[in-house]
């Protein structure tokens, strides 16, 4: 049986390091407490604070805010106007459009797949003249600051594998998400906050799974840290009743001494992760309450977002995302539910655009006026699109749309992305891509490029294989870049 106390008596490299000021543990803790001593990033350089000590080329973006719309917003009702589809409402979708492509079991049994057009008007906005639904007047107001990609497509046809694929580049859970990859590669600019933070809103539709912001096979300190909407922002960060900050520090110091001792003996990277996470949690006890106090914001900023301090909402999360960006968090992921409109789509779209349109646009305007948009990449979108045909019966002011992976729309802004651009096109039914297709791997490659990372050279060896976010494919969409 292995006896760790006997191991300490063996005069080996491991024992020597363990006895030398507690060895590897001391080195690990020292680098956490004073990263400047270990080659931390300097302004204007290509250095990072993560595993990529030197970026592959000069980055345009330092951070990402991902406004993920869970459940898949309908591109046909928001971003991709199709007059012909509207004219053919009630008629059967031509077989020449579907081309025998797979559909889900929810509509495969329908005798007829009937076309249904958008129940809302579209209009042109801004100098670029981009056409958007009138349900998005605020996003229409910033259309010259964003790029709309109408030609996204994905491999997955159901929610969980599609969300997982958007996040990790693979439909099966277990790989690192975008935020985890970026936290690993670039590290955090703020030692008092995690590199990857997750905010959630909404209450219906598909459940939000922990692996949507998971670390996969990367170290656990790269997973997204979820901030809650009510109570303590982070679970267990506050001291228990009767425990002072001084007593907590003493408790952690004693525990860390044991951790460092064991790290010196075993050299287990998981112990180093524990050391880092405990120190981060202690620092967050001070940084997080100030960060999440939205009442500090001026009245005009709260009104611009539609935010109400203390009341959970997507608007509050957008404002908090800006505060996180200001403080150097690398990847901020907002997950907003309730976009899964298999039925009741017209009213569902009205509700969700009311919840998200103002705050999404306010975030872009706020970042721009603070000089943060140029080096912050903002992404808005869901996991796939919705069908040109109705799921079930078409009634007055009531119908639904099924899942559609063949094409959908997202928008991006800042961080090296061209403003005022509409990229890609779909057919008259919004069913197939006819110009400039962009798959999920291309999207990931382009995002990493904005951050100064060559996706083909950003790998992690696990179980004998070099993995990357873009798996074995993906091309940077250079037409989207400044």
């Amino acid at each position: 049986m292995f006896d760790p106390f006997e191991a300490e008596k063996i005069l080996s490299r491991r024992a020597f390091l363990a006895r030398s000021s507690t060895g590897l543990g001391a080195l690990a803790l020292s680098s956490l407490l004073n990263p400047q001593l270990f080659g931390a990033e300097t302004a204007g350089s290509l250095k990072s604070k993560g595993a990529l000590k030197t970026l592959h080329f000069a980055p345009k973006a330092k951070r990402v805010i991902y406004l993920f719309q869970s459940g898949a917003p309908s591109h046909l009702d928001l971003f991709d106007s199709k007059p012909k589809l509207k004219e053919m409402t009630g008629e059967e979708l031509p077989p020449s459009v579907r081309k025998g492509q797979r559909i889900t079991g929810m509509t495969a049994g329908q005798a007829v797949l009937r076309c249904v057009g958008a129940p809302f008007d579209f209009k042109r906005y801004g100098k670029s003249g981009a056409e958007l639904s009138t349900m998005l007047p605020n996003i229409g107001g910033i259309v010259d600051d964003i790029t709309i990609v109408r030609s996204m497509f994905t491999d997955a046809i159901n929610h969980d594998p599609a969300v997982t694929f958007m996040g990790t580049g693979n439909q099966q859970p277990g790989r690192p998400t975008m935020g985890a990859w970026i936290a690993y590669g670039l590290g955090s600019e703020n030692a008092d906050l995690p590199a990857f933070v997750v905010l959630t809103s909404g209450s219906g539709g598909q459940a939000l799974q922990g692996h949507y912001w998971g670390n996969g096979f990367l170290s656990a300190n790269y997973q997204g840290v979820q901030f809650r909407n009510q109570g303590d922002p982070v679970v267990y960060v506050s001291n228990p009743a009767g425990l002072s900050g001084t007593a907590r520090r003493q408790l952690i110091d004693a525990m860390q001494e044991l951790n460092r001792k064991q790290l010196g003996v075993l050299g287990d990277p998981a112990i180093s992760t524990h050391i880092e996470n405990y120190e981060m949690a202690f620092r967050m006890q001070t940084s997080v309450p100030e960060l999440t106090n939205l009442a500090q914001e001026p009245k005009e900023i709260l009104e611009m977002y539609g935010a109400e301090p203390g009341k959970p909402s997507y608007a509050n999360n957008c404002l908090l995302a800006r505060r996180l960006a200001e403080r150097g968090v690398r990847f901020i992921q907002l997950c907003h539910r309730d976009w899964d409109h298999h039925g009741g789509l017209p009213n569902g779209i009205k509700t969700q655009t009311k919840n998200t349109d103002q705050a999404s646009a306010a975030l872009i305007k706020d970042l721009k006026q603070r000089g943060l948009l140029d080096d912050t990449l903002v992404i808005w979108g869901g996991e796939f699109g919705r069908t040109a045909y109705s799921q079930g019966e078409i009634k007055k002011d009531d119908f639904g749309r099924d899942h559609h992976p063949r094409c959908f729309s997202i928008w991006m802004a800042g961080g090296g992305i061209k403003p005022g651009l509409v990229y890609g096109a779909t057919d008259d039914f919004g069913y197939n891509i006819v110009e400039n297709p962009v798959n999920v791997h291309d999207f990931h490659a382009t995002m990493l490029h904005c951050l100064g990372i060559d996706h083909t050279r950003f790998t992690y060896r696990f179980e004998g294989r070099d993995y990357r976010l873009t798996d074995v494919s993906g091309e940077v969409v250079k037409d989207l870049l400044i």
Side-chain angles (χ1 to χ4, degrees):
M1 180 180 295
F2 176 75
D3 184 349
F5 297 102
E6 284 296 317
E8 289 189 89
K9 300 176 183 178
I10 301 173
L11 189 58
S12 62
R13 180 178 63 177
R14 181 174 294 170
F16 172 76
L17 289 172
R19 295 174 182 179
S20 302
S21 300
T22 64
L24 298 176
L27 292 173
L29 185 58
S30 297
S31 66
L32 295 173
L33 296 177
N34 193 356
Q36 288 77 14
L37 298 177
F38 289 79
E41 181 182 9
T42 58
S45 74
L46 292 181
K47 293 182 179 179
S48 82
K49 297 180 180 179
L52 286 174
K53 299 305 180 185
T54 302
L55 297 178
H56 301 135
F57 37 79
K60 295 289 187 179
K62 292 182 178 179
R63 66 196 71 85
V64 176
I65 299 177
Y66 183 23
L67 306 176
F68 179 65
Q69 312 300 312
S70 176
S74 171
H75 60 296
L76 297 168
D77 301 294
L78 296 174
F79 298 104
D80 203 356
S81 176
K82 299 298 173 187
K84 184 173 181 179
L85 180 64
K86 196 165 188 174
E87 290 173 8
M88 291 185 62
T89 294
E91 299 181 32
E92 184 176 6
L93 180 74
S96 60
V97 174
R98 181 185 166 191
K99 300 177 181 179
Q101 296 167 11
R102 64 174 179 162
I103 58 178
T104 78
M106 291 176 283
T107 49
Q110 290 185 195
V112 180
L113 300 177
R114 299 190 184 279
C115 295
V116 57
F120 317 114
D121 293 330
F122 278 68
K123 64 177 287 187
R124 296 192 179 277
Y125 291 89
K127 294 180 180 179
S128 63
E131 200 170 14
L132 299 178
S133 168
T134 54
M135 294 292 100
L136 298 172
N138 292 287
I139 292 176
I142 59 161
V143 77
D144 291 332
D145 293 313
I146 69 175
T147 274
I148 300 169
V149 181
R150 289 180 174 160
S151 52
M152 283 289 300
F153 70 97
T154 185
D155 294 350
I157 199 170
N158 288 311
H159 290 288
D160 183 68
V163 177
T164 304
F165 190 56
M166 280 296 294
T168 70
N170 192 276
Q171 296 186 48
Q172 298 297 322
R175 296 195 185 186
T177 51
M178 291 186 284
W181 276 109
I182 291 170
Y184 165 70
L186 302 183
S188 179
E189 293 183 297
N190 189 330
D192 296 332
L193 290 170
F196 179 14
V197 171
V198 178
L199 309 169
T200 63
S201 56
S203 58
Q206 298 298 313
L208 295 173
Q209 308 290 339
H211 65 260
Y212 295 164
W213 49 86
N215 56 293
F217 45 70
L218 297 176
S219 177
N221 53 312
Y222 299 120
Q223 72 179 343
V225 176
Q226 184 179 355
F227 282 20
R228 301 191 303 169
N229 294 312
Q230 291 181 315
D232 286 344
V234 180
V235 179
Y236 304 127
V237 165
S238 294
N239 290 326
L243 183 68
S244 68
T246 300
R248 170 58 68 92
R249 180 69 261 181
Q250 291 172 343
L251 177 62
I252 291 176
D253 287 342
M255 182 171 55
Q256 296 292 57
E257 179 63 25
L258 294 175
N259 284 335
R260 291 193 298 271
K261 191 179 187 69
Q262 197 73 345
L263 175 61
V265 172
L266 302 179
D268 185 353
I271 300 175
S272 179
T273 298
H274 285 311
I275 292 172
E276 183 174 350
N277 286 342
Y278 277 118
E279 293 299 329
M280 173 62 75
F282 184 78
R283 295 194 298 271
M284 286 171 63
Q285 288 189 306
T286 300
S287 63
V288 169
E290 183 277 332
L291 162 71
T292 56
N293 183 9
L294 300 185
Q296 297 175 345
E297 293 287 335
K299 180 181 178 182
E300 59 270 22
I301 294 295
L302 295 173
E303 291 177 348
M304 182 171 73
Y305 282 87
E308 300 179 57
K311 182 179 180 181
S313 69
Y314 176 81
N316 280 13
N317 286 349
C318 282
L319 179 51
L320 184 54
R322 188 220 80 206
R323 292 170 66 87
L324 286 161
E326 284 180 310
R327 289 159 174 79
V329 174
R330 290 287 188 189
F331 198 95
I332 305 148
Q333 180 170 323
L334 277 65
C335 296
H336 181 72
R337 297 169 66 184
D338 304 331
W339 284 103
D340 191 20
H341 298 138
H342 291 275
L345 182 142
N347 286 331
I349 291 281
K350 288 179 182 177
T351 298
Q352 292 316 310
T353 52
K354 181 179 179 181
N355 289 340
T356 62
D357 175 54
Q358 178 181 344
S360 298
L363 176 61
I364 300 300
K365 291 187 286 187
D366 200 9
L367 290 170
K368 186 176 181 180
Q369 71 185 9
R370 293 169 187 270
L372 287 169
L373 185 59
D374 287 344
D375 60 7
T376 302
L377 175 61
V378 181
I379 303 162
W380 188 105
E383 63 266 38
F384 43 56
R386 311 301 295 204
T387 54
Y389 55 83
S390 176
Q391 180 173 337
E393 188 179 354
I394 303 173
K395 300 179 181 179
K396 184 179 179 356
D397 299 325
D398 188 13
F399 65 89
R401 298 190 191 273
D402 201 359
H403 309 165
H404 189 64
R406 295 297 304 169
C407 57
F408 62 105
S409 299
I410 68 170
W411 60 259
M412 308 167 75
I417 297 295
K418 285 181 181 175
L421 177 68
V422 175
Y423 187 78
T426 60
D427 61 22
D428 289 339
F429 296 83
Y431 204 94
N432 298 294
I433 295 169
V434 297
E435 181 182 306
N436 296 325
V438 179
N439 67 35
V440 172
H441 296 308
D442 299 334
F443 161 69
H444 288 158
T446 305
M447 176 192 69
L448 291 175
H449 182 92
C450 291
L451 291 161
I453 300 172
D454 179 347
H455 71 104
T456 65
R457 298 163 60 192
F458 184 32
T459 62
Y460 185 90
R461 180 159 286 265
F462 176 67
E463 294 185 343
R465 177 189 163 185
D466 287 335
Y467 286 86
R468 69 189 205 209
L469 175 59
T470 52
D471 199 32
V472 295
S473 58
E475 298 288 338
V476 175
V477 187
K478 294 181 179 179
D479 290 342
L480 301 181
L481 304 177
I482 294 174

